[in-house]
Amino acid sequence: VIQIDGCALPNLRHLKLGNNGLKDEDCHVISKFIECEGSQLETICLSHNGIGDEGAECFADALNKNTSLKKLYLEGGIGKLTERGVNAFSKVLTDISSIARTYASNHSLVDLLISNKHVGMAQCPRVRAALAINSGNVGDPHSAGRRKVIVFQLSSEVRRKTSELQGVEDFYMR
């Protein structure tokens, strides 16, 4: 029995749909598996498809409700994935709108592979830094949360740049 809205695939751990001609609109269906309560998905490989910024933003939104996904691969796509799509992951990994939200940000995602002719992870140092914190604190969300607060909230330069990126007012700079 396959269901999408009801998430009737509780044992699904790895989803590999590379080279399938997927587009942004397909990401809404796939994201249902990410955000489903009780999801056990650990890896999603969507490499070499046509996923762009809208699809990346859809996955980033779904990660707000997920604590199991560790790896998401979107590299090599022909879609129009730009810095905007990559930066969508910045807020889910380190929401700096408040200290509580930074502490509660997603701590399970440790590997995000995004690269195409428009953008790569090299252009997104804050996303890479958040992934590094998650990687160093696997299985310990409280340590990851504390570390993110220290790195992203207490460093004025990092906080300023991340505030600009996320469109959040830097309340310390008023």
Side-chain angles (χ1 to χ4, degrees):
V1 174
I2 295 178
Q3 287 183 339
I4 302 266
D5 293 327
C7 288
L9 298 173
N11 297 322
L12 183 64
R13 299 276 193 276
H14 307 283
L15 183 61
K16 297 180 181 182
L17 295 172
N19 293 309
N20 274 291
L22 299 174
K23 305 269 187 258
D24 284 338
E25 51 271 12
D26 301 312
C27 297
H28 296 285
V29 174
I30 297 166
S31 71
K32 296 280 187 201
F33 288 109
I34 297 172
E35 63 189 12
C36 182
E37 186 176 334
S39 172
Q40 297 299 309
L41 261 176
E42 295 176 11
T43 306
I44 297 179
C45 179
L46 299 169
S47 302
H48 306 287
N49 280 297
I51 297 170
D53 290 337
E54 184 184 324
E57 289 169 341
C58 182
F59 290 130
D61 288 343
L63 281 170
N64 281 316
K65 302 174 186 118
N66 181 284
T67 59
S68 66
L69 192 68
K70 293 175 178 56
K71 300 175 182 181
L72 177 60
Y73 302 122
L74 300 172
E75 81 276 9
I78 57 169
K80 298 289 187 217
L81 188 60
T82 67
E83 211 168 322
R84 183 185 115 210
V86 178
N87 285 332
F89 291 97
S90 173
K91 190 162 187 167
V92 76
L93 290 167
T94 55
D95 181 347
I96 65 159
S97 61
S98 73
I99 290 175
R101 287 191 179 179
T102 301
Y103 182 82
S105 296
N106 178 289
H107 306 310
S108 61
L109 191 67
V110 297
D111 198 3
L112 175 64
L113 258 166
I114 297 178
S115 65
N116 64 18
K117 64 183 180 178
H118 303 289
V119 70
M121 292 301 292
Q123 291 100 332
C124 304
R126 280 158 291 292
V127 172
R128 286 192 339 260
L131 291 169
I133 291 170
N134 286 357
S135 294
N137 293 284
V138 172
D140 188 358
H142 299 295
S143 291
R146 285 191 300 268
R147 183 74 185 134
K148 286 180 183 179
V149 167
I150 291 167
V151 170
F152 290 94
Q153 290 284 353
L154 301 181
S155 168
S156 60
E157 185 62 19
V158 172
R159 187 181 58 250
R160 184 185 63 73
K161 288 181 180 180
T162 307
S163 294
E164 290 173 8
L165 175 74
Q166 293 181 8
V168 174
E169 181 182 355
D170 187 351
F171 51 89
Y172 292 109
M173 299 302 287
R174 287 188 212 172

